[in-house]
Amino acid sequence: MRIKQKFTSSKLSDMIKISAVIITYNEEKNIARCIDSIADIVDEIVIIDSYSSDKTKEICLLKNAKLVEHPFKSHIEQKNFALSQANYDVILSLDADEYLSEELTESILKVKQNWVGHAYSMNRLSSYGGKWIKHGNWYPDRKIRLWDRNVGNWGGENPHEWVVLRKEVKVVHLKGDLLHKAYLDSQDTIQKIQRYSEIFARENRGKKTSSTGKIIFRTFFAFIKSYVIKRGFLDGFEGLMVAMAVANHVFYKYAKLHELNGRLELGKKIIISRTDNLGDVILTLPLVGYLKSVDPSLEVYFIGKGYTKAIIEKSVFVDHFLDRDLILEDPTILKSVDSKNIVFVFPDRKLVPLAKEAGIENRIATRHRWYNWLYCNFLVEFSRVNSPLHESQLNFKLLKPFKLNEEMELSEMPKYFGLVCEPKNFDSLLSKDKFNLIIHPKSKNSAREWDVNNYFQLAKLLPNENFKIFITGLKEEGDVIRNELPEFLSSPQVIDLTGKFSLDELISFINQADGLVACSTGVLHLASALGKRALGIYSPMKPIHPGRWMPLGRHSNYLVLDKNCSDCKNSRNCACINSITPQQVSYKLLTFAREVKKEKEFVHYS
């Protein structure tokens, strides 16, 4: 039966029993001292341990304490759970690194015989580097640690919780100190400051405000208060370290809170919008893969043009494809996704107002489009035209509002494509003994192109006993090639597949072939993302040079003239790209063929 009346009679006073409760995690260095200091004045000792991996559990059981293992969620929750495990209503709560002074022990023994209040406070005396700190912010540091659980429990804010009592409860102060082995040295101090400030920021995100001015003022005042106003200087070097620790804790907790308040959460769903061409979409997939690595439970919606659906849906990192044209017809599609975040990787004048109308809370885009200023609320500063970064790296700049990795290395990109293709039967086309090479001469005018005659000469250079060559492209591109150089597609060295494949079929065919050569086009990036031997032929002109558009893959390579040139800026014909010879390309492809042959021989013999 719980004690609900004031303990005033001597008869009831004789019946006061105390439950000591302590929460632990890897406290083998402290827990024995803590238990020994209270063993003679309490009637039970309850330890709530969050699955320590050291000898904490063995020590507690050896000391005859009641030990309950319970997962740790927060200090407040763990300590309130501890209250529920006690047999008696009067609680003495300690941390594992605390213990009673002799004077405080005597005070509690007197209280046990004459309980005159419902709650008792005591001064906590903490140490730094083995020295007791008797000035500054750390002392007297009054705490309520002995009380009737019927009138209060743990509350406040993590990780610096306190006992919250009913308003009418009388608190009596005890003589003596609760001794606290706080910090061993500067390294221990820094570690605890970082841990506690992280908890504070996480717990108070969106609840409290912070700013640069507040961080500076609070940090400065915390030091002055501890070191000067509360005379921390009287504790010598240790007093200085404590004042600095107090100021550092204030600085980091409000700095981290400021960062978190300004950082968007990924949430449960995110929409990525890239509504231009195939190569651009493929180079956006690493962004999606990276987000999935940050949070595997994140549900990713990818908005693209209808014809890019075949490639987008082949990435294991994309959960749903959204067709741009269908959204324009029915804007409620965006609202039905119920996502808080949309990232416009490619500026889209028609989609951005629909995202705002759909109530998507966070709309992220580049600052370099006037309409984004009207409809997007997170505008990121970077320039694609003038940047030395690769296109795929520039996409990561849009993660700035999430405070995620904005500077991904190119070597890290291939693992984030995540393309998986279901095999189709091309046995009648592909050779088992030769290097199956795809030549994709055209680019739908998306890049400067190597002359068709160069590809024709290349096909002649490659030995028939080593290569089987296929020409791919749209039907219209095949017609252009036939008009420019009819003998190319009718040549016995090549198999004309222009206009024969859907995108889905082309993806599967590339995946089963050995390599591909093309100018800077989406099909080149597709082969590279699939891990094929992909060779790109490039113009050196910025911003279409390899530094911006090179294929990314474990087996990708490119050829470009070592020259700073912009002569073909206003022309489709590029003398620089056509100065690359078929012999140079042939040499690279022969190297590819030797590598593949070695791999196939290794697999055969292993």
Side-chain angles (χ1 to χ4, degrees):
M1 179 178 178
R2 293 194 172 188
I3 305 167
K4 296 183 179 180
Q5 303 297 322
K6 287 186 177 180
F7 304 106
T8 53
S9 71
S10 59
K11 186 174 181 181
L12 283 177
S13 297
D14 293 338
M15 295 175 61
I16 295 300
K17 291 186 180 293
I18 299 176
S19 291
V21 294
I22 307 165
I23 66 170
T24 59
Y25 177 69
N26 288 346
E27 291 286 357
E28 65 179 8
K29 294 181 180 179
N30 295 311
I31 192 60
R33 180 182 61 233
C34 179
I35 291 175
D36 290 343
S37 77
I38 58 177
D40 295 334
I41 64 171
V42 300
D43 299 280
E44 71 165 350
I45 298 175
V46 181
I47 308 291
I48 307 301
D49 185 71
S50 47
Y51 303 98
S52 292
S53 57
D54 64 1
K55 296 181 180 179
T56 298
K57 182 176 179 179
E58 292 91 323
I59 295 171
C60 292
L61 294 177
L62 188 65
K63 298 283 184 181
N64 296 316
K66 172 186 172 182
L67 188 136
V68 178
E69 291 183 307
H70 187 260
F72 183 91
K73 293 183 179 178
S74 72
H75 288 81
I76 293 173
E77 288 185 71
Q78 196 78 340
K79 288 192 173 184
N80 279 327
F81 175 79
L83 298 186
S84 72
Q85 299 301 301
N87 286 318
Y88 308 114
D89 285 335
V90 177
I91 302 295
L92 175 63
S93 179
L94 301 182
D95 292 335
D97 57 358
E98 297 172 340
Y99 60 103
L100 307 184
S101 67
E102 291 184 8
E103 187 176 16
L104 182 57
T105 300
E106 291 297 324
S107 295
I108 294 175
L109 283 172
K110 290 178 182 178
V111 164
K112 202 171 180 183
Q113 297 299 317
N114 185 27
W115 186 270
V116 295
H118 278 344
Y120 292 82
S121 63
M122 55 201 70
N123 292 339
R124 184 167 72 162
L125 178 62
S126 297
S127 67
Y128 178 90
K131 179 177 180 177
W132 297 112
I133 305 301
K134 297 183 179 180
H135 305 89
N137 270 28
W138 279 15
Y139 196 77
D141 193 20
R142 185 171 292 192
K143 305 286 186 183
I144 296 172
R145 292 298 185 84
L146 181 65
W147 79 101
D148 177 0
R149 66 180 172 186
N150 291 296
V151 299
N153 56 13
W154 289 99
E157 59 184 34
N158 286 307
H160 300 293
E161 66 289 336
W162 57 82
V163 177
V164 179
L165 301 170
R166 294 205 305 251
K167 290 183 179 180
E168 70 277 9
V169 172
K170 176 183 178 182
V171 179
V172 178
H173 190 66
L174 298 176
K175 292 182 178 180
D177 292 321
L178 177 62
L179 303 176
H180 177 217
K181 289 285 186 179
Y183 298 123
L184 299 175
D185 51 28
S186 57
Q187 182 176 352
D188 184 39
T189 304
I190 292 169
Q191 289 175 346
K192 289 182 179 179
I193 285 172
Q194 293 299 331
R195 185 168 69 250
Y196 291 150
S197 59
E198 186 74 28
I199 295 171
F200 171 87
R202 189 170 61 246
E203 292 286 326
N204 290 282
R205 178 180 186 174
K207 301 174 185 176
K208 292 189 175 184
T209 62
S210 182
S211 65
T212 302
K214 183 179 286 189
I215 294 167
I216 294 171
F217 174 77
R218 285 179 176 267
T219 301
F220 176 75
F221 182 73
F223 177 81
I224 294 299
K225 180 181 178 183
S226 181
Y227 195 65
V228 179
I229 298 175
K230 291 197 170 185
R231 299 180 298 166
F233 60 87
L234 294 177
D235 288 310
F237 170 76
E238 288 80 4
L240 173 64
M241 291 300 293
V242 168
M244 289 301 299
V246 170
N248 267 281
H249 178 61
V250 170
F251 172 81
Y252 278 110
K253 73 179 188 178
Y254 282 101
K256 290 178 180 180
L257 177 63
H258 184 59
E259 287 182 336
L260 283 181
N261 281 343
R263 176 189 298 175
L264 294 183
E265 288 185 315
L266 286 175
K268 296 180 180 179
K269 301 177 182 179
I270 191 169
I271 302 172
I272 304 296
S273 176
R274 183 88 203 215
T275 54
D276 45 349
N277 298 319
L278 185 65
D280 311 277
V281 166
I282 292 168
L283 292 179
T284 304
L285 292 178
L287 175 72
V288 179
Y290 171 72
L291 289 175
K292 278 284 197 178
S293 74
V294 172
D295 182 1
S297 67
L298 181 66
E299 199 170 353
V300 177
Y301 291 74
F302 198 117
I303 303 176
K305 290 181 177 178
Y307 93 94
T308 63
K309 177 180 180 181
I311 188 64
I312 292 171
E313 289 190 330
K314 283 182 171 53
S315 174
V316 296
F317 302 125
V318 176
D319 297 294
H320 309 279
F321 172 78
L322 298 176
D323 191 308
R324 176 182 183 269
D325 290 337
L326 295 180
I327 292 173
L328 295 180
E329 292 176 10
D330 182 10
T332 62
I333 293 173
L334 278 181
K335 189 176 183 65
S336 67
V337 173
D338 192 28
S339 170
K340 292 178 64 176
N341 302 311
I342 184 169
V343 180
F344 288 98
V345 181
F346 177 73
D348 196 312
R349 184 175 176 179
K350 292 184 178 180
L351 277 183
V352 286
L354 298 183
K356 185 174 182 180
E357 290 172 14
I360 299 175
E361 184 177 335
N362 305 311
R363 302 170 302 282
I364 303 153
T366 174
R367 294 167 60 94
H368 291 258
R369 290 293 188 278
W370 65 266
Y371 47 84
N372 287 342
W373 287 81
L374 299 178
Y375 303 110
C376 295
N377 55 343
F378 286 90
L379 299 175
V380 182
E381 171 59 39
F382 71 97
S383 171
R384 291 186 185 271
V385 175
N386 300 316
S387 175
L389 296 176
H390 191 272
E391 177 71 10
S392 61
Q393 292 174 310
L394 288 167
N395 297 337
F396 277 75
K397 294 294 182 183
L398 291 163
L399 297 183
K400 185 174 183 179
F402 300 104
K403 299 294 190 294
L404 295 174
N405 189 350
E406 301 169 43
E407 298 182 357
M408 182 66 67
E409 295 293 329
L410 288 180
S411 60
E412 294 290 303
M413 297 290 184
K415 67 183 178 183
Y416 292 124
F417 284 113
L419 294 179
V420 176
C421 300
E422 293 184 8
K424 299 183 187 298
N425 189 352
F426 295 110
D427 291 347
S428 61
L429 285 173
L430 296 169
S431 171
K432 293 181 180 179
D433 303 318
K434 299 180 181 181
F435 186 93
N436 295 287
L437 174 67
I438 298 171
I439 293 179
H440 195 86
K442 294 296 181 179
S443 65
K444 293 175 62 177
N445 292 321
S446 65
R448 297 297 188 272
E449 295 175 353
W450 204 40
D451 192 82
V452 171
N453 186 56
N454 287 329
Y455 286 110
F456 182 36
Q457 298 305 316
L458 171 66
K460 288 181 178 181
L461 285 172
L462 297 173
N464 288 333
E465 64 269 21
N466 300 118
F467 286 86
K468 189 169 185 179
I469 303 173
F470 307 91
I471 311 299
T472 59
L474 298 173
K475 179 182 181 301
E476 296 81 5
E477 293 174 329
D479 292 340
V480 171
I481 295 171
R482 274 182 281 274
N483 288 331
E484 291 181 6
L485 195 65
E487 59 267 36
F488 182 24
L489 296 184
S490 61
S491 168
Q493 285 102 341
V494 304
I495 298 173
D496 178 14
L497 297 178
T498 58
K500 302 290 178 65
F501 289 148
S502 66
L503 179 57
D504 188 58
E505 290 169 331
L506 179 61
I507 294 168
S508 184
F509 185 71
I510 292 173
N511 191 48
Q512 294 177 62
D514 297 306
L516 179 143
V517 59
C519 59
S520 179
T521 182
V523 175
L524 174 69
H525 294 295
L526 172 57
S528 181
L530 288 168
K532 301 288 108 178
R533 261 96 181 158
L535 180 64
I537 305 173
Y538 282 80
S539 164
M541 184 175 65
K542 295 181 180 181
I544 61 174
H545 64 308
R548 174 73 180 277
W549 291 103
M550 75 176 75
L552 303 179
R554 293 184 298 110
H555 302 299
S556 300
N557 209 326
Y558 64 87
L559 288 170
V560 65
L561 188 68
D562 186 12
K563 179 182 179 182
N564 187 7
C565 179
S566 59
D567 292 347
C568 66
K569 188 172 184 180
N570 299 314
S571 170
R572 300 305 305 174
N573 296 319
C574 178
C576 292
I577 194 171
N578 283 305
S579 67
I580 297 170
T581 67
Q583 288 77 10
Q584 289 174 295
V585 178
S586 173
Y587 177 80
K588 290 284 188 181
L589 294 175
L590 286 167
T591 303
F592 282 171
R594 287 192 292 270
E595 291 172 352
V596 170
K597 185 178 180 180
K598 286 182 181 179
E599 289 176 3
K600 288 181 177 179
E601 288 175 350
F602 177 79
V603 171
H604 175 73
Y605 288 115
S606 61

